[in-house]
Amino acid sequence: MLGVCYYPEHWDEGRWELDAKRMRELGISYVRIGEFAWSRLEPKRNHFTFEWLDRALDVLHKAGLKVVLGTPTATPPKWLMDEHPEIAPYDQNGQVRGFGSRRHYSFSSQTWWRESARIVEIIAKRYGEHPGIAGWQTDNEYGCHDTTVSWGPEDLRAFRQWLRLRYQSTDQLNEAWGSVFWSMEVNSFDEVELPCRTVTEPNPAARLDFWRFSSDQVAAYDKMQVEIIRKHSPGRWITHNFMGFVLDFDHFKVGENLDLASWDSYPIGFVEKFPFTEAERNRWAETSHPDIAPFHHDLYRGVGRGRFWVMEQQPGPVNWAPWNPVPKPGMVRLWTWEALAHGAEVVSYFRWRQAPFAQEQMHAGLNLPGLDEWSVGGLEAGAVAEEMAKLGDLGAIGKAPAAIVFDYASYWSTKIQPQGRDFRYEELAFRWYEALRRLGLDVDFVPPGAPLDGYRLVAVPCLMQVSDAALAALENTDAVVLYGARSGSRDRFFRIPENLPPGPLAGLTGNRLTQLSSLRPGIEEGVAGGASGHAIRWREYLETNAEVLARFENGDPALTGKGKHHYLACWPDEALLSSTLKLLAERAGIEVLDVPSHIRIRRRGNLVFAFNYGPEEWTAPIKGDPILGEKRLKAQQVAVWRV
Ligand code: GLA
């Protein structure tokens, strides 16, 4: 199914009917509205002007569109900010981040919780049973514009409270944090300060707890909205639209309260946001890297426990990246099919029509600015709609043969203590994902502790803290497992385990880490044996009683295997990572298919999809003729087989 993001409040009411009619003609089934409409719903406190939204809902519903209604809490109105300045968030330097754009609130402000609950309840009561509403979107893109963490007085008050609940006494807090170091001990929780604005780096344990606290706040805030909506809108599903490459809160925790996950896919915009090399950025500038969108499709399918939408699909140039090129012809169509191949239930484009005013007037839509005239993206969306009508039901997405254990707390921990400037968790996880996909493997994402039954190959790029639940899941799986460096290297208080890293994983891996070296760019160390390539950025020194499958140049163990549990004691370059995963896939009895760097394969039910990010053509080694597209895929083309 296809959808679109629409802002009735941006257009003369006289245009709504034609807009709705043209949406249906294009093949649009869902329309998301309302997430930024607070000042138009309540221009002054207790002065409500809902009538326009009543009429817009009726127009959309009558046209046969199913509505996703957003709660408008991402844009608190000016009258509220003036009444309650304590709502505003603070940056790390103690500066208020004020009114005039969006996301200008702190998750810790009690006033904000009260005002959010108030407006959500009013809207959910009014529209909860409207026949046109299929589902709800809470707020918009938690964490966007770096707004997960706020560093103000409200955050300090809430953080102290969170610590009281977590550590029954300051003795326990001082002990857990190792506060004796540099005389950082406190005699009361009211002496705790935010881990910022310090002379040199603050205590890593304090930073990790503050990050956990900030993440918990997002999950608790969203749960508050979800519970209110559920009360007044029975039978409607609830989602939140997550972003790409935002890891500063645990999305799995927010997903636990949602019926499905959704995310905002701007494949080309993200090429600039991710630490790619300049060569990669230039190569993928007008198509995106073949794994950027799929990485998130698979991650958010996991966050949504098997269900996800693309709530905002890039339809053309965006406005917020350093450079914003026009996508190569065919890419909006390719990205749509790719999302569907990865299990998306709906792909909804952002936005129906390019706004001729305000911050996003340079952001494409399905229609040209202010007009009833298709953009290139609009025409491609129409083409997909026709093709989808021909293919019919795409079937359910099955469990992938491989899973990545994805851990937000490991991102926080390595951000707090990189030890090597270029040790980036998000990049490591992405490169492991890329390597699995280059072997033609479909991949699921699971949180630490989730059962690993049914997977043949489990990749754990870096799991710094290994909880009891995570250890149990790893002990109980019969998959072949590969742990990456730094796994098990800290306990939950950010302390080095007494038995040395990999801590709780020592038994499973047979390893013991005695030294580690972070390598500056240009310094690398060869690895040879069952896998070969080079260690870059990070190299560990292990003692092991496991089988050594590959060694560093000086003979030290680089890749170890004890039963099904393998450990890679470095940040691998592409060659080493690929050969390691190929070796493990073989041990797992999984058939791999080496695909070129610009090609990807994805299975959904009895369909096999192939995507060519180009420019080179490629002939798919898949039996029979495709039901869509050509066996020899041209650049930016898609092919689908029913097998
Ligand atoms: C995000 C937001 C949208 C819009 C787009 C622009 O996804 O959710 O409101 O700002 O970015 O790309």
Side-chain angles (χ1 to χ4, degrees):
M1 301 285 244
L2 298 183
V4 72
C5 305
Y6 185 54
Y7 299 87
E9 70 273 27
H10 292 179
W11 313 108
D12 293 344
E13 186 160 343
R15 304 189 70 168
W16 295 348
E17 226 158 281
L18 177 59
D19 279 344
K21 180 169 173 289
R22 290 179 64 238
M23 287 175 196
R24 295 295 291 138
E25 286 165 357
L26 188 70
I28 299 279
S29 305
Y30 287 90
V31 55
R32 183 204 65 191
I33 63 173
E35 81 276 19
F36 300 130
W38 195 334
S39 67
R40 274 297 166 89
L41 296 173
E42 190 184 14
K44 293 191 184 68
R45 182 178 284 282
N46 295 331
H47 171 66
F48 295 106
T49 53
F50 284 118
E51 296 68 23
W52 67 270
L53 182 53
D54 300 348
R55 293 194 298 274
L57 274 171
D58 290 344
V59 166
L60 297 169
H61 178 46
K62 275 203 190 79
L65 290 155
K66 291 180 267 228
V67 176
V68 181
L69 185 55
T71 63
T73 50
T75 46
K78 184 64 167 61
W79 57 264
L80 177 56
M81 300 308 289
D82 288 348
E83 272 182 30
H84 293 288
E86 70 275 20
I87 287 173
Y90 283 71
D91 67 19
Q92 281 206 49
N93 302 316
Q95 294 300 313
V96 171
R97 302 174 78 190
F99 179 82
S101 63
R102 63 184 180 185
R103 298 214 61 72
H104 39 288
Y105 68 77
S106 158
F107 285 101
S108 296
S109 159
Q110 292 172 308
T111 307
W112 176 239
W113 271 56
R114 203 172 48 245
E115 294 294 344
S116 298
R118 168 185 172 275
I119 192 64
V120 170
E121 180 119 69
I122 290 167
I123 292 173
K125 269 184 180 161
R126 186 177 184 93
Y127 297 110
E129 311 251 26
H130 188 290
I133 289 183
W136 293 80
Q137 171 184 300
T138 52
D139 201 283
N140 189 80
E141 291 194 333
Y142 293 137
C144 188
H145 316 307
D146 291 326
T147 55
T148 298
V149 187
S150 168
W151 309 80
E154 287 282 275
D155 310 294
L156 175 56
R157 176 194 51 72
F159 180 43
R160 287 169 173 170
Q161 185 51 24
W162 184 88
L163 290 172
R164 280 189 188 89
L165 295 176
R166 194 177 179 96
Y167 302 95
Q168 281 66 40
S169 73
T170 48
D171 287 350
Q172 288 194 31
L173 177 68
N174 291 330
E175 170 60 25
W177 283 4
S179 300
V180 63
F181 193 80
W182 287 353
S183 178
M184 300 181 291
E185 292 170 309
V186 294
N187 296 313
S188 104
F189 287 99
D190 288 335
E191 288 180 9
V192 171
E193 299 299 345
L194 293 179
C196 65
R197 302 197 282 278
T198 48
V199 173
T200 184
E201 69 167 302
N203 186 334
R207 291 181 67 188
L208 179 57
D209 264 348
F210 185 57
W211 219 323
R212 283 181 177 128
F213 153 78
S214 302
S215 174
D216 286 356
Q217 292 290 74
V218 178
Y221 176 78
D222 190 65
K223 189 165 188 275
M224 173 267 289
Q225 292 209 17
V226 166
E227 287 172 347
I228 293 169
I229 296 166
R230 288 226 190 284
K231 208 163 48 181
H232 301 291
S233 193
R236 273 79 172 179
W237 46 259
I238 304 174
T239 191
H240 173 74
N241 60 328
F242 298 107
M243 286 190 72
F245 295 128
V246 166
L247 292 91
D248 47 9
F249 65 91
D250 186 336
H251 290 48
F252 288 109
K253 288 274 187 317
V254 178
E256 281 169 13
N257 307 310
L258 301 173
D259 298 301
L260 60 127
S262 68
W263 79 285
D264 300 336
S265 176
Y266 296 92
I268 284 184
F270 293 143
V271 167
E272 300 293 345
K273 270 188 82 166
F274 186 80
F276 284 121
T277 64
E278 281 307 293
E280 286 179 306
R281 286 198 172 127
N282 289 342
R283 176 178 184 189
W284 305 116
E286 296 167 323
T287 59
S288 183
H289 181 293
D291 295 313
I292 284 190
F295 175 93
H296 291 92
H297 295 324
D298 294 338
L299 169 60
Y300 290 130
R301 190 177 63 251
V303 168
R305 297 184 311 288
R307 295 190 63 195
F308 84 101
W309 280 31
V310 170
M311 188 59 83
E312 300 182 10
Q313 174 60 56
Q314 176 169 3
V318 296
N319 60 295
W320 43 264
W323 290 278
N324 301 288
V326 168
K328 275 203 182 334
M331 283 316 298
V332 173
R333 171 177 173 265
L334 183 147
W335 293 327
T336 306
W337 273 118
E338 185 177 65
L340 295 166
H342 283 259
E345 294 176 11
V346 172
V347 177
S348 167
Y349 299 93
F350 185 88
R351 43 182 268 166
W352 172 247
R353 178 182 292 115
Q354 183 166 346
F357 48 75
Q359 283 91 332
E360 293 184 342
Q361 64 187 168
M362 295 300 284
H363 191 301
L366 297 183
N367 289 272
L368 298 181
L371 302 178
D372 298 332
E373 186 177 343
W374 301 123
S375 67
V376 171
L379 294 170
E380 290 193 25
V384 175
E386 283 169 22
E387 292 165 344
M388 287 170 70
K390 273 191 226 133
L391 254 64
D393 182 16
L394 301 177
I397 194 99
K399 178 173 272 204
I404 286 184
V405 175
F406 192 76
D407 180 42
Y408 288 91
S410 292
Y411 168 74
W412 308 335
S413 299
T414 48
K415 282 290 270 191
I416 289 166
Q417 193 176 73
Q419 184 63 5
R421 184 173 297 172
D422 50 5
F423 196 106
R424 299 183 200 91
Y425 177 85
E426 74 278 18
E427 189 179 356
L428 183 71
F430 180 83
R431 295 301 182 187
W432 281 45
Y433 176 81
E434 178 185 34
L436 289 165
R437 295 291 292 134
R438 289 283 308 274
L439 294 175
L441 296 176
D442 293 339
V443 180
D444 286 349
F445 279 74
V446 294
L452 296 168
D453 315 317
Y455 292 113
R456 315 271 291 284
L457 175 58
V458 170
V460 188
C462 170
L463 185 61
M464 287 277 278
Q465 291 89 5
V466 180
S467 66
D468 295 347
L471 183 62
L474 292 162
E475 281 167 342
N476 298 333
T477 184
D478 54 13
V480 167
V481 186
L482 174 65
Y483 304 96
R486 306 184 78 166
S487 293
S489 62
R490 290 291 176 276
D491 72 12
R492 64 193 183 101
F493 302 121
F494 216 104
R495 301 171 80 104
I496 297 173
E498 274 171 28
N499 64 333
L500 297 182
L505 299 175
L508 284 176
T509 59
N511 291 343
R512 187 167 178 273
L513 182 143
T514 54
Q515 271 198 114
L516 71 88
S517 192
S518 56
L519 310 174
R520 65 185 338 278
I523 295 180
E524 55 185 27
E525 195 165 343
V527 173
S532 57
H534 287 83
I536 55 175
R537 306 194 194 190
W538 189 273
R539 189 265 209 224
E540 295 182 342
Y541 292 75
L542 297 182
E543 290 169 3
T544 186
N545 59 34
E547 184 189 358
V548 178
L549 302 172
R551 294 182 184 277
F552 292 111
E553 281 155 358
N554 72 346
D556 285 355
L559 176 63
T560 62
K562 186 178 175 187
K564 293 182 171 295
H565 294 272
H566 303 74
Y567 187 95
L568 184 58
C570 65
W571 180 300
D573 68 353
E574 187 179 330
L576 177 56
L577 181 53
S578 172
S579 60
T580 301
L581 288 171
K582 214 175 261 182
L583 172 69
L584 294 193
E586 206 178 297
R587 290 184 157 216
I590 310 177
E591 200 185 323
V592 297
L593 169 67
D594 264 320
V595 292
S597 56
H598 63 295
I599 298 293
R600 292 297 182 273
I601 305 279
R602 199 9 159 127
R603 298 145 193 90
R604 175 172 173 166
N606 62 1
L607 297 177
V608 178
F609 294 78
F611 302 97
N612 183 345
Y613 271 72
E616 302 79 8
E617 293 191 3
W618 182 74
T619 300
I622 299 170
K623 276 198 297 299
D625 292 332
I627 57 175
L628 179 74
E630 310 293 327
K631 199 172 178 63
R632 181 160 181 74
L633 281 87
K634 293 186 175 57
Q636 287 85 52
Q637 280 306 315
V638 180
V640 188
W641 288 259
R642 197 179 295 284
V643 295

